[in-house]
Amino acid sequence: MFLKLNEIGDKIAIAASGGKDSTVLAHIMKLLNERYLNRKIFFHWLLQRYDYGLDLFLLSIDEGISGYRDDSLETVKRNQLEYQLPLKILSYKDLYDWSMDDIVKEIGRKNNCTFCGVFRRQALDRGAVMLGVDQIVTGHNADDIAETVLMNILRGDIARLQRCTFIKTKSEETIPRSKPFKYTYEKEIVMYAYFKKLDYFSTECIYSPNAYRGHARVFLKDLEAIRPSTILDIIHSGEAFETSAESNPTNVTVPGVCNRCGYMSSRDLCKACLLLEGLNRGLPKLGIGNTEKLRKKHLDEKEKSIGEYSSSKRTPGNPFIQNFNDLKLGSDLKKPL
Amino acid sequence: MKINLEFSGGLELLFDGLKQTSVVVEDSSLKNLFKKIESELITQNKELFLKDEKLRPGILVLINESDWELEGQYDYQLKDEDTIVLISTLHGG
Ligand SMILES: [Zn+2]
Ligand SMILES: [Zn+2]
């Protein structure tokens, strides 16, 4: 792309939710990839090969939310047929043995977005490994990123403040992610989808009122009405935040891997495994918020307590999740035992 | 005169899923049309459509396939058989 997000011949997974952003992204990636395939352009003194030559895939995550994700996945499947791109769907149920419906039944509607977000992040990485891609592209647009900057400021989340504005992630441990629509307004995306008559799914997730983002969004739209350049201005402010190593612990921690599942993690147990541990032991608060104490207490107790928690939940200490390193190119999920 | 209306992008949910309809109005501005839609067509969550007579931010308006910002917004004077498309941008990613 213009910003050199990828190299010729890269394998790219498009994170596809069936919503407007990822539908437009899939459409545009496919269109440009074909338009610029093997095109030779006479450029001054040389014939330069000017193409994308990308190998594109659609990657969808099925969180297991009936009445929402099942419908949006139908949209993804229709798009797959239309765009003729290979599609891989990974479900929380297969990956973690818990669908979001199960989780909400267990923990209620509070905090369920934490589970969903952590699980999705890891699920996308797992899917990317299975597909053997070099990169994941997501549909985040300029409005989304400006909202995230505002939210990170309001929450005082210094570590994420600058990171959330990167057009491409910098970490070497995971598969890079990029946001080709970083500078594209939501309005442009919606207009494009409308005029191209793209088929997208537009229902709010039934479990996420996501009030916090909602407030940021309304505030941003009000600002934009006063000053149209606000969105790009806010993104620019986010980019301009320089945080020192001391105030930004993520810069100094040595990245390691999770003992249990092999996923990149700065602690012994990654966030997803911690949340799963909580679910499987009937202690769903285990990974939520500032729970350093809980984490320590319950994990220290773990060895001796195996068996005590068998009340209603799955076997403790014997998590279902497959080790990240066992994932292979083209491999399919280990089926539940 | 007759005005054609289309709702999409999730906005149709405020109209019980209604995606297309038409209304008959007297000579009027777009502003009055919105008020009419609010009082006669919306079945739920009225506050997600208008607030203080202004359209909620995040709803795009097309007047005969043209962005309403190019057509005088609220002051646009409706003509017979105009098509007004209202699209929510706020739903789903
Ligand atoms: Zn783990
Ligand atoms: Zn969005």
Side-chain angles (χ1 to χ4, degrees), chain A residues 17-23 68 139 186-188 190-191 194-195 197 200-204 217-218 221-222, chain B residues 6 8-13 56-58 60-62 65-69 85 87-93:
Chain A
S17 67
K20 57 183 158 45
D21 301 310
S22 62
T23 300
Y68 167 69
E186 187 137 67
K187 176 173 175 177
E188 296 174 292
V190 174
M191 290 280 197
Y194 175 78
F195 286 113
K197 303 204 174 358
Y200 69 90
F201 181 79
S202 52
T203 303
E204 210 67 72
R217 162 158 291 204
V218 170
K221 288 282 166 204
D222 288 343
Chain B
E6 287 176 30
S8 66
L11 198 69
E12 67 275 16
L13 299 174
R56 271 305 177 90
L60 300 185
V61 185
L62 296 172
E65 304 277 271
S66 159
D67 187 347
W68 75 321
E69 291 182 23
V85 178
I87 314 171
S88 170
T89 65
L90 300 185
H91 288 82

Side-chain angles (χ1 to χ4, degrees), chain B residues 29-31 71-77:
Chain B
S29 64
L30 196 55
K31 184 175 174 174
E71 307 284 340
Q73 292 191 301
Y74 296 98
D75 299 329
Y76 175 80
Q77 293 298 311

